[in-house]
Amino acid sequence: MNNDRSISVKKVSRTFRDFVALKDVDLDVPSGQIFGFLGPNGAGKSTLVKILTTILAPTAGVATVAGFDVHTQSDKIRQHIGVALQDVGLDALMTARELLLLQAQLFRFSKSEAITKSERLLKKVKLETVDPKKRVGDYSGGMKRRLDLALALVHDPDILFLDEPTTGLDPASRADIWEEVHRINKEDGVTIFLTTQYLEEADKLAQEVAIINKGQIVARGTPSALKKEIGNEVITITLEDPNAATQASQKLKQSFSEQQISGHELSIYLTDAAARVPELVRLLDQEKIKLNGLTLSQPTLDDVFLHATGERMTEKTNTGE
Amino acid sequence: MNDILLLIKRSLINILRTPAATIPNIAISVFFLFVYNGGLSSVSSIPGFVGSYLGFILPVSIVTAAVGGAGSAGQNLIKDIDSGYYTKLLLTPAKRLALIWGPMFAGAIVLLVQVILIIILGVILGLHTATGIPGMIMVALLAFTWGMAFAGYSVFMALKTKNAAATQAATFAFFPLIFLSETFVPSSFITVKWLKIAANINPTTYVFRAMRSLILNGWEAKPLLIGFAVILGLASLTGFMALMAAKKSTQLS
């Protein structure tokens, strides 16, 4: 019996012709953790998930899942993992029960066991009341995601890979998925590798996160430690244009060293924000730099991303980069 | 074995739920039977032609149905690849052979139903067979194996190209296979040398000969054995190609 529910990634790279999708990625996910893998679109999240779920080979490096090597022991890995990929892979012509029954039987459960499992899983993902004759093609996006999650759980996996499980879902469906992910981890002890472009999702669910940008890990740790690293508080000032932001940055550099420009915004990381706001305003006033806005907040994972890459992840995600 | 049966069942459910994809294929093979028999039956009055033209042309209708039906195996696989369901199946412990045999056998089972319908239609049109029901079972078996051979090719193309249009285009190989042969007249009637050579190297010729011997002549060992040998050889080749493509698609790329 293999009780190893961990994931280990050492110096993993993946290239597609000239494009470097992943470069020297190192990660360790301990057993039983919800691990958030965070990054904007095209950062390399799905590539790493495909490598760890044995769909894609790394160009270099070593990765093990549940103690098995992705390159040489892919069959064994598949018995220990559940996978719900970003593109929900369902047969639109079948019903939910038919798909669950087939999936369970392909995982070597007897027909009666498969029926019991299907009903239990339908209840778990709140699809038990849906018309049994309704074909999956007629399901909403949220229902499809929940069914996909149920299919990934059919064989009681030790490790669950969820690749952007809530992308495109409405807030209520997203909350349902979060609740279920949390429950699977707490009650069943399943290690969850969750990729997401939603900072709030990673913050809410993950015990530890890694942030990836352009194929490289740029930060990792617990969400609170990462935020603490860049300062306890953040002052964000909004200026008229990016030139003004650069001018302000230069003026403030001596007194406020931890700062980051993003467009016409300047974020300043510090520990005593409220006390230092007057000083900041005075310095800008001396240079006749006009402020459009000023906010004082706790740092978010977006601030961590900004600090590590010089860009806001929310902007990259919104512009579809 | 259980994996194969489960995936055949699932493919059959898919086929039954998309009748619009199956009915045209049945209709076209029935259409061919009517048109060829109606338009070309006077060929049987040419000296040297033995037997009824309906019996001679029936295998063309069956082989056409087999090719069309088998092509659906590749199309169904493409649908799974596009929807991402094929990846889901790849991540189960199901045997790789089962993943391709599911759609292939399901297509061939539908084909069997089509062949039975065509034979019944032939009988309604006045067909008399030299070998009776056992002979027609043999014809259906030949059609089934021929369908599996073509399904293997179609699945291979689907896995190789992962593109519906390319997989559909690959079935155009059907045209030289069916028309560069003793399709409408016996070989003794073909006078053009290149067509005679093409017919001799075309495996479809031996399928036609085996089926026609059963319908028109009776139990003859030689055309039957050659027919089965050719079909089994072809089915093994395309089946092997499809399996290799399936294995490659599950290996890390």
Side-chain angles (χ1 to χ4, degrees), chain A residues 232-251:
Chain A
N232 287 329
E233 292 170 357
V234 55
I235 300 172
T236 305
I237 56 174
T238 311
L239 298 126
E240 283 194 321
D241 56 58
N243 287 341
T246 312
Q247 202 189 340
S249 167
Q250 280 162 358
K251 177 68 188 168

Side-chain angles (χ1 to χ4, degrees), chain A residues 58-301:
Chain A
T59 316
V62 179
T64 61
V65 176
F68 300 109
D69 185 275
V70 291
H71 219 120
T72 56
Q73 295 171 297
S74 53
D75 285 350
K76 286 185 176 155
I77 289 176
R78 284 179 204 138
Q79 287 166 18
H80 291 270
I81 62 169
V83 184
L85 292 175
Q86 193 177 346
D87 297 320
V88 175
L90 299 170
D91 181 347
L93 292 170
M94 306 280 276
T95 68
R97 279 177 177 77
E98 285 169 343
L99 282 179
L100 281 165
L101 203 61
L102 174 62
Q103 186 84 354
Q105 286 179 288
L106 290 176
F107 271 101
R108 315 288 180 237
F109 289 100
S110 70
K111 194 172 180 182
S112 60
E113 284 172 326
I115 291 170
T116 313
K117 254 184 182 303
S118 302
E119 293 305 323
R120 189 169 56 80
L121 283 166
L122 282 171
K123 244 180 223 158
K124 207 181 238 187
V125 296
K126 298 176 185 167
L127 289 174
E128 80 276 21
T129 54
V130 178
D131 177 5
K133 287 179 185 160
K134 188 170 182 156
R135 293 181 195 172
V136 171
D138 296 326
Y139 277 29
S140 69
M143 290 162 80
K144 283 180 186 167
R145 289 273 182 196
R146 294 203 305 257
L147 176 60
D148 201 36
L149 183 61
L151 285 165
L153 294 171
V154 124
H155 53 297
D156 304 318
D158 295 323
I159 301 169
L160 183 61
F161 287 90
L162 300 175
D163 191 11
E164 305 209 10
T166 61
T167 298
L169 295 188
D170 59 80
S173 303
R174 190 174 294 172
D176 280 348
I177 298 275
W178 287 355
E179 189 192 326
E180 189 51 33
V181 168
H182 197 71
R183 199 205 56 71
I184 293 163
N185 173 255
K186 278 279 162 278
E187 290 178 17
D188 306 335
V190 175
T191 303
I192 296 176
F193 190 95
L194 169 92
T195 80
T196 182
Q197 49 178 304
Y198 297 125
L199 303 152
E200 189 197 353
E201 187 162 283
D203 223 349
K204 200 168 181 97
L205 289 174
Q207 285 126 22
E208 199 177 342
V209 298
I211 298 178
I212 187 168
N213 187 42
K214 294 176 184 163
Q216 288 182 290
I217 303 287
V218 292
R220 63 163 304 178
T222 63
S224 59
L226 283 173
K227 286 183 271 188
K228 219 169 212 168
E229 261 176 39
I230 59 167
N232 287 329
E233 292 170 357
V234 55
I235 300 172
T236 305
I237 56 174
T238 311
L239 298 126
E240 283 194 321
D241 56 58
N243 287 341
T246 312
Q247 202 189 340
S249 167
Q250 280 162 358
K251 177 68 188 168
L252 299 172
K253 202 141 207 163
Q254 268 201 328
S255 309
F256 302 90
S257 57
E258 285 292 318
Q259 50 172 263
Q260 199 75 48
I261 301 173
S262 174
H264 54 88
E265 277 185 3
L266 177 67
S267 300
I268 295 158
Y269 306 99
L270 63 178
T271 49
D272 49 353
R276 298 195 64 193
V277 167
E279 179 192 353
L280 185 143
V281 173
R282 200 185 61 246
L283 283 168
L284 293 175
D285 200 39
Q286 279 171 7
E287 286 291 307
K288 304 217 180 316
I289 297 170
K290 199 179 160 200
L291 282 181
N292 276 4
L294 185 149
T295 57
L296 202 151
S297 58
Q298 301 290 316
T300 63
L301 283 174

Side-chain angles (χ1 to χ4, degrees), chain B residues 82-98:
Chain B
D82 285 347
S83 72
Y85 191 62
Y86 185 70
T87 305
K88 194 167 287 299
L89 290 175
L90 287 179
L91 290 169
T92 69
K95 296 269 180 291
R96 308 299 94 161
L97 192 64

Side-chain angles (χ1 to χ4, degrees), chain B residues 144-227:
Chain B
F144 182 87
T145 328
W146 176 248
M148 285 294 284
F150 210 82
Y153 169 68
S154 144
V155 163
F156 168 74
M157 291 308 292
L159 290 168
K160 208 76 188 153
T161 66
K162 295 184 172 61
N163 179 288
T167 305
Q168 184 65 41
T171 59
F172 291 150
F174 150 79
F175 286 104
L177 278 174
I178 205 153
F179 292 114
L180 296 178
S181 182
E182 304 163 9
T183 314
F184 304 116
V185 289
S187 67
S188 57
F189 286 30
I190 300 174
T191 51
V192 183
K193 199 175 174 191
W194 67 264
L195 186 56
K196 230 178 164 80
I197 294 168
N200 279 333
I201 57 173
N202 183 352
T204 320
T205 301
Y206 303 96
V207 183
F208 285 151
R209 283 182 187 171
M211 288 184 181
R212 283 167 181 164
S213 77
L214 287 162
I215 297 169
L216 300 171
N217 306 339
W219 294 100
E220 293 174 328
K222 193 180 166 191
L224 214 51
L225 287 174
I226 294 174

